[in-house]
């Protein structure tokens, strides 16, 4: 197979839309899915004489992301104009950072089932989004919505360190998790809050030099990215194997056909005529400013994951699930401050809360409830199956209520009351005289069968330890 001789090389340009209240250079509202052309003003429409003014939040968010990824923060970064003509870019240029971006270097680890590897980051720069052209709403016209014009973006450019579509997938998932932890973006790829351009080349395994690359533009779902990369890798290898040459091109991926097709080649690449934006002064970031942001950094997913493994003794798998979302991770950590039943708490979060949230995402769980819940199980006061099946939904429906009270009201406490258990045992033994005889003649493993029947009749309310004790007494008397 020729495919196995080749290695895939991928570098990403990730665009992250920032969750600021207003746009990058004016006070227009920054929100998704408003009516077309309502979140605009003379500045985002680029009327003559208007001037941009930097959104401080955009800078703070860039620094937040840069610090999380171990980048060097550029103390004197600068905005440039990238000039091109398009209907959804009324200014005729995009404000971006070409020569002096806000963050340099850094990296992020990707953890695959088989290995862990660092993906190096080349830089992160600040820029603004363009408006949105829709080509397929009307037969003869393209319509333009300028609500998105001027929305603040970060563009993160990686080194060509990926070797497979799976690695890209893992990286993008971690990046989405990170921007959500940092609360700088909602990270929704379906809504375009995170998009990536994939630069792809192939080379013979062991080769020191890179092959010619193609760039697939604006991939807005991880499923499409995977398919686009797989299609493109095969196309390039087939091309080389048949004696051809990969040309440096910008490609579009069509999810319907599953194919890539050229948008433009290197020869007709734009000359953007970058130059420093004269309307915006350089952005000077003092050490104090950077320190202040560093001090306010929220906990990062990989730090929490490590803590959960080391301090709470959880498996890598459990720790990964528990840190998927910051809100859950913080609540879990909070609970672990009050109850030492870490594993039971982890099970509660992973098996019950996560499933519940899928159906009712707005349910609020409190530390008090959750710790009470696991304490009741751990103290053997409530059977775990009963707790999960009956007490949990009741607790989710009544967030203000004491869990102990609920359990009392629902009559769920296990009974080690001798009379209650005696009654049940007598009943079961009376129904099974043959089996009682068999037990007495040495078939001791029938004890489990008796246990099961009594437990069933007790509807989970029998304390198993006490029950076993009493059963033995009955059978052996
Ligand atoms: P440009 O300035 O033309 O956009 P860059 O050198 O900045 O090119 O690279 C852009 C992206 O392409 C980066 O993510 C980088 O990692 C990636 N890249 C560069 N060369 C290759 C290659 N041969 N194969 C795959 N990706 C590449
Ligand atoms: Mg580029």
């Amino acid at each position: 197979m020729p495919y196995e001789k080749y290695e895939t090389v991928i570098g990403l340009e990730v665009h992250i839309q920032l969750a600021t209240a207003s746009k990058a250079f004016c006070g227009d509202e920054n929100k998704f899915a408003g009516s077309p052309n309502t979140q605009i003003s003379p500045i985002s429409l680029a009327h003559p004489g208007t001037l941009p003014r930097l959104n401080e939040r955009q800078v703070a968010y860039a620094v937040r992301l840069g610090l999380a990824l171990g980048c060097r923060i550029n103390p004197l970064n600068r905005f440039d104009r990238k000039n091109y003509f398009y209907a959804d870019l009324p200014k005729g240029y995009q404000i971006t950072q070409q020569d002096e971006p806000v963050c340099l270097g850094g990296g992020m680890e990707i953890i695959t089932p088989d290995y862990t590897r660092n993906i190096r980051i080349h830089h992160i720069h600040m820029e603004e989004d363009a408006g949105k052209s829709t080509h397929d709403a009307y037969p003869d016209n393209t319509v333009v919505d300028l609500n998105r014009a001027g929305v603040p973006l970060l563009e993160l450019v990686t080194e060509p360190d990926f070797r497979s579509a799976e690695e890209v997938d893992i990286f993008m998932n971690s990046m989405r998790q990170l921007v959500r932890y940092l609360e700088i973006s909602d990270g929704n790829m379906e809504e375009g809050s995170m998009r990536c351009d994939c630069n792809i080349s192939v080379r013979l395994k062991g080769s020191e030099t890179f092959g010619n690359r193609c760039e697939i533009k604006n991939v807005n779902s991880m499923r499409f990215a995977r398919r686009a990369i797989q299609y493109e890798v095969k196309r390039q290898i087939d091309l080389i194997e048949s004696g051809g040459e990969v040309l440096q091109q910008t490609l579009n991926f069509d999810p319907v056909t599953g194919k890539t097709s050229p948008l433009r080649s290197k020869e007709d690449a734009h000359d953007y005529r970058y130059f420093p934006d004269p309307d915006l002064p350089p952005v000077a970031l003092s050490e104090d400013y950077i320190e202040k942001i560093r001090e306010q950094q929220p906990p990062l997913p990989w730090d929490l994951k490590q803590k959960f493994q080391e301090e709470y003794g959880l498996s890598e798998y459990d720790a990964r699930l528990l840190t998927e979302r910051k809100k859950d991770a913080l609540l879990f950590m909070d609970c672990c401050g009050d109850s030492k039943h870490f594993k039971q708490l982890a099970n509660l979060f992973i098996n019950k809360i996560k499933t519940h949230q899928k159906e009712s995402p707005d349910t609020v769980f409190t530390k008090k409830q959750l710790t009470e819940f696991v304490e009741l199980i751990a103290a053997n006061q409530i059977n775990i199956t009963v707790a999960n099946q009956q007490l949990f939904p009741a607790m989710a429906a009544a967030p203000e209520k004491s869990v102990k009270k609920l359990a009392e009201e629902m009559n769920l406490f296990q009974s080690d009351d001798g009379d209650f258990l005696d009654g049940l045992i007598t009943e079961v033994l009376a129904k099974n005289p043959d089996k009682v005889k068999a037990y007495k003649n040495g078939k001791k493993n029938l004890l489990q069968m008796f246990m099961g029947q009594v437990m069933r009749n007790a509807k989970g309310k029998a304390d198993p330890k006490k029950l076993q004790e009493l059963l033995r007494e009955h059978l052996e008397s």
Side-chain angles (χ1 to χ4, degrees), residues 200-234:
I200 303 162
S201 64
V202 297
R203 63 176 173 186
L204 284 172
K205 279 181 184 159
S207 158
E208 295 284 318
T209 52
F210 290 133
N212 285 343
R213 70 184 150 108
C214 288
E215 177 177 6
I216 307 177
K217 277 283 180 202
N218 280 328
V219 183
N220 66 353
S221 107
M222 280 324 297
R223 207 161 48 83
F224 292 169
R226 245 174 206 267
R227 284 171 60 204
I229 292 167
Q230 278 155 3
Y231 175 85
E232 184 56 21
V233 166
K234 181 169 183 306

Side-chain angles (χ1 to χ4, degrees), residues 14-31:
V14 184
H15 291 89
I16 302 159
Q17 266 186 4
L18 297 177
T20 54
S22 55
K23 288 186 181 175
F25 302 108
C26 67
D28 295 352
E29 207 180 345
N30 170 25
K31 68 163 201 268

Side-chain angles (χ1 to χ4, degrees), residues 66-119:
L67 290 176
L69 294 169
C71 305
R72 189 166 69 74
I73 308 300
N74 188 347
L76 198 64
N77 59 91
R78 200 181 69 199
F79 285 101
D80 300 287
R81 288 186 180 182
K82 175 180 180 178
N83 300 281
Y84 64 94
F85 177 77
Y86 204 72
D88 57 25
L89 187 78
K91 282 211 280 275
Y93 59 87
Q94 178 191 27
I95 302 179
T96 182
Q97 297 191 305
Q98 171 73 356
D99 294 329
E100 292 291 347
V102 61
C103 305
L104 298 155
M108 184 165 73
E109 275 192 347
I110 50 170
I111 303 172
T112 78
D114 304 320
Y115 56 87
T116 297
R117 213 151 63 75
N118 184 50
I119 300 294

Side-chain angles (χ1 to χ4, degrees), residues 222-285:
M222 280 324 297
R223 207 161 48 83
F224 292 169
R226 245 174 206 267
R227 284 171 60 204
I229 292 167
Q230 278 155 3
Y231 175 85
E232 184 56 21
V233 166
K234 181 169 183 306
R235 186 190 73 86
Q236 291 186 11
I237 295 174
D238 288 344
L239 192 61
I240 295 168
E241 283 289 311
S242 63
E245 195 193 350
V246 176
L247 300 174
Q248 189 171 331
Q249 279 177 327
T250 305
L251 306 173
N252 183 40
F253 175 70
D254 182 348
V256 178
T257 61
K259 293 179 178 173
T260 59
S261 57
L263 282 172
R264 54 178 181 265
S265 67
K266 194 180 175 186
E267 288 72 50
D268 42 56
H270 297 295
D271 178 356
Y272 293 116
R273 307 236 161 209
Y274 287 97
F275 64 88
D277 193 306
D279 291 338
L280 287 159
V283 185
L285 302 176

